[in-house]
């Protein structure tokens, strides 16, 4: 048993299986993939890696399992199944692209699918099979993707999975902000294994006494999205990075299937060649020296209304075409105008069994129950206040706000028609 020192959780104890997995190139790569992508350009301390996060998730998995075992909740769950859960916690991020989630917004393969061969084949698969049996790699992958029938599935993928607890706590600490304060001890001590009334089989739930700790998790998530993950400068850097990689893929500077193999710096170094086209070069150089595009227009989601502008978050190819059209009509270079609308996320989503003090098991959803917050209304209000559609431009170039807003209100079909016929998107 080895012990590592961690600034967040202090001592992290590693058993032989964890040590063997940590020594693989698959997990060692995560040392060089930043947990928060380009957020370090705004919060200098946000240079922590997905390797640290993986260690933290492993630690929390062990702690949660020990607490459940002390309360007699794991009598029907084998030691092997618990080891599968801990392995899944350690390996859950191995498929992440350089600079975290950003590239999934341009339509590349989801990081969980990238992880499939990394977990089920190669050296990681061999280690898992040798330690836990021939089916272990597939069982680990099923937990990571939320497809497992294990009663412990909720620890790895769910409303209060250990991944969320770990990254919110670590991200807030490393960014130096007070927004990620979570009552982790209370929350972990409130976890139970129960049989929900509306589904077959046992699953992870929370005791009613942990409701306030659960609410602390939900509010921390909202605060981190509002102040860190969706900070305007973070989103500007992210938009530039997405454009850089998309152009690099289109021009053959990098192959799509190779991107996920790079670390953060490896990808930037790979792209930094004389052959890089000017549009991509402007993005790369800007990111290198923190010369970011500036906000020319910003609109809260609540102002746009339901589903308006969603094509920016869901159709990156169309978004690039509109960006180019606006830049052309403003006599700007390609890439000088960038549109950004963060993909929808469950801000305060919760769907989990709750053990009441009288022994009844109820399903705690966004509808809540008596004595709890009205999560549906609160979730919508917080989400609408945190999410913003932005137009970024190079060199603080202004844009005609009324015309831009009219474009943002158009549907994807109308925009494609205009672009297909060579019509203008601004000014009628």
């Amino acid at each position: 048993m080895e012990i590592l020192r961690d600034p967040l959780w202090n001592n992290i104890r590693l058993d032989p299986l964890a040590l063997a997995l940590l020594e693989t190139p698959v997990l060692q790569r995560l040392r060089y993939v930043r947990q928060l992508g380009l957020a370090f350009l705004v919060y200098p301390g946000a240079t922590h890696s997905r390797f640290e996060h993986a260690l933290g998730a492993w630690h929390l998995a062990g702690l949660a399992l020990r607490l459940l075992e002390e309360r007699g909740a794991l009598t029907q769950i084998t030691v092997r199944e618990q080891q599968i859960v801990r392995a899944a916690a350690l390996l859950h991020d191995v498929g992440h692209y350089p600079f975290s989630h950003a590239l999934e917004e341009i339509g590349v393969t989801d990081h969980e699918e990238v992880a499939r061969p990394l977990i089920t084949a190669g050296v990681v698969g061999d280690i898992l099979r040798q330690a836990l049996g021939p089916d272990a790699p597939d069982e680990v992958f099923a937990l990571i993707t939320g497809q497992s029938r294990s009663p412990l599935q909720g620890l790895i993928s769910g409303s209060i999975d250990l991944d969320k607890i770990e990254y919110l706590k670590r991200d807030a600490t490393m960014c130096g902000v007070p927004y990620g304060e979570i009552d982790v001890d209370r929350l972990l001590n409130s976890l139970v294994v129960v049989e929900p009334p509306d589904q077959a089989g046992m699953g992870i739930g929370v005791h009613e006494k942990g409701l306030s700790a659960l609410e602390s998790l939900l509010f921390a998530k909202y605060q981190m999205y509002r102040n860190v993950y969706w900070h305007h400068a973070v989103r500007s850097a992210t938009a530039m990075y997405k454009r850089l990689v998309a152009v690099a893929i289109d021009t053959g500077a990098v192959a799509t299937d190779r991107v996920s193999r790079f670390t953060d710096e490896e990808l930037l170094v790979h792209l930094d060649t004389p052959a890089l086209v000017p549009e991509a070069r402007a993005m790369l150089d800007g990111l290198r020296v923190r010369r970011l595009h500036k906000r020319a227009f910003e609109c809260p989601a609540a102002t746009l209304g339901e589903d308006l502008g969603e094509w920016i978050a869901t159709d990156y190819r169309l978004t690039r075409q509109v960006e180019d059209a606006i830049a052309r009509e403003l006599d700007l270079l390609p890439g000088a105008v960038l549109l950004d609308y963060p993909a929808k996320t469950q801000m305060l989503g919760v769907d989990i069994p709750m053990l009441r003090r009288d022994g009844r098991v109820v399903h705690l959803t966004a509808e809540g129950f008596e004595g709890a917050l009205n999560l549906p209304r609160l979730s919508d209000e917080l989400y609408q206040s945190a999410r913003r559609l932005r137009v970024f431009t190079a060199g603080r170039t202004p844009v005609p706000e009324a015309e831009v807003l009219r474009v943002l209100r158009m549907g994807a079909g109308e925009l494609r028609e205009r672009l297909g016929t060579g019509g203008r998107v601004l000014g009628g």
Side-chain angles (χ1 to χ4, degrees):
M1 186 72 70
E2 293 286 337
I3 296 177
L4 294 183
R5 294 286 293 178
D6 180 72
L8 192 63
W9 308 114
N10 293 321
N11 291 332
I12 295 180
R13 300 169 66 86
L14 301 171
D15 65 15
L17 174 58
L19 286 169
L21 290 171
L22 287 172
E23 290 174 357
T24 65
V26 169
L27 265 167
Q28 287 296 314
R29 171 183 167 272
L30 297 185
R31 288 184 182 273
Y32 312 104
V33 177
R34 293 181 181 90
Q35 174 76 11
L36 291 187
L38 293 150
F40 72 96
L41 295 176
V42 179
Y43 295 96
T47 56
H48 56 297
S49 70
R50 291 203 169 266
F51 185 83
E52 299 161 58
H53 168 59
L55 286 171
W58 159 272
H59 169 73
L60 289 183
L63 180 56
L65 289 169
R66 285 194 296 273
L67 291 171
L68 288 169
E69 187 172 28
E70 288 174 5
R71 296 195 294 273
L74 302 182
T75 55
Q76 303 300 315
I77 297 173
T78 66
V79 172
R80 176 187 176 277
E81 193 168 352
Q82 295 177 46
Q83 291 176 312
I84 291 287
V85 169
R86 296 198 73 181
L90 188 63
L91 293 164
H92 76 280
D93 273 351
V94 296
H96 267 290
Y97 289 88
F99 296 104
S100 197
H101 287 280
L103 294 188
E104 292 180 28
E105 297 181 20
I106 72 172
V108 296
T109 304
D110 184 86
H111 74 274
E112 290 181 344
E113 280 306 308
V114 173
R116 183 190 297 272
L118 300 177
I119 293 171
T120 60
V123 63
V124 170
D126 291 343
I127 291 171
L128 291 173
R129 277 185 284 269
Q130 183 177 359
L132 301 174
D135 296 328
D138 290 328
E139 293 176 53
V140 167
F141 185 72
L143 280 167
I144 291 172
T145 54
Q147 303 301 313
S148 174
R149 294 186 177 182
S150 168
L152 303 177
Q153 169 67 80
L155 294 178
I156 303 301
S157 179
S159 294
I160 56 170
D161 59 54
L162 302 172
D163 173 40
K164 290 184 182 69
I165 296 173
E166 214 289 331
Y167 78 68
L168 288 169
K169 190 79 170 175
R170 187 175 298 276
D171 292 351
T173 299
M174 302 309 292
C175 288
V177 297
Y179 308 122
E181 193 56 43
I182 302 166
D183 193 348
V184 176
D185 186 65
R186 182 68 164 176
L187 190 55
L188 293 183
N189 274 280
S190 300
L191 295 178
V192 292
V193 178
V194 295
E195 184 170 5
D198 55 349
Q199 68 185 55
M202 306 293 284
I204 292 292
V206 64
H207 195 281
E208 184 179 349
K209 68 183 181 182
L211 185 60
S212 61
L214 175 59
E215 290 171 350
S216 78
L217 173 69
L218 301 180
F219 279 112
K221 185 178 180 183
Y222 159 71
Q223 289 278 13
M224 289 299 290
Y225 269 96
R226 182 178 180 89
N227 295 287
V228 178
Y229 307 146
W230 288 350
H231 185 283
H232 66 91
V234 174
R235 292 305 303 182
S236 173
T238 301
M240 293 173 65
Y241 173 63
K242 287 158 54 179
R243 183 84 176 197
L244 163 64
V245 177
V247 172
I249 290 173
D250 287 351
T251 57
V254 65
T256 306
D257 59 357
R258 288 197 62 197
V259 174
S260 63
R261 306 177 194 175
F262 289 111
T263 64
D264 292 356
E265 288 305 317
E266 281 176 345
L267 178 59
L268 298 186
V269 169
H270 177 82
L271 295 176
D272 192 4
T273 67
L276 194 66
V277 298
E279 178 187 347
R281 168 59 60 185
M283 300 297 166
L284 178 59
D285 291 348
L287 290 173
R288 285 290 198 193
V289 299
R290 202 190 180 280
R291 186 174 60 248
L292 305 181
H293 284 40
K294 304 301 181 182
R295 277 179 297 180
F297 179 79
E298 180 174 281
C299 182
T303 301
L304 276 180
E306 189 68 23
D307 295 330
L308 293 180
E310 289 296 340
W311 50 269
I312 299 175
T314 60
D315 190 337
Y316 188 67
R317 183 167 295 278
L318 174 61
T319 300
R320 280 183 62 192
Q321 292 174 339
V322 175
E323 290 171 346
D324 288 342
I326 293 175
R328 188 167 53 250
E329 292 171 28
L330 295 177
D331 294 322
L332 300 174
L333 294 173
V337 175
L338 299 176
L339 305 178
D340 180 66
Y341 203 24
K344 281 188 173 181
T345 185
Q346 276 197 315
M347 186 62 66
L348 295 183
V350 60
D351 184 4
I352 187 171
M354 186 178 68
L355 179 63
R356 299 297 300 268
R357 296 180 189 276
D358 59 10
R360 291 182 295 126
V361 177
V362 299
H363 211 73
L364 179 62
T365 65
E367 297 301 327
F369 72 102
E370 69 275 8
L373 290 172
N374 186 332
L375 289 178
R377 185 181 66 196
L378 183 63
S379 174
D380 183 65
E381 290 176 356
L382 295 180
Y383 178 78
Q384 296 292 339
S385 70
R387 193 184 188 210
R388 280 169 159 69
L389 191 154
R390 297 181 175 108
V391 180
F392 298 109
T393 59
R396 298 185 183 276
T397 304
V399 297
E401 294 189 6
E403 295 181 37
V404 168
L405 184 57
R406 183 179 56 79
V407 172
L408 300 177
R409 290 181 180 276
M410 291 183 191
E414 181 181 355
L415 283 166
R416 289 194 188 94
E417 183 178 351
R418 283 175 176 260
L419 293 167
T421 58
R424 291 172 59 88
V425 295
L426 296 176

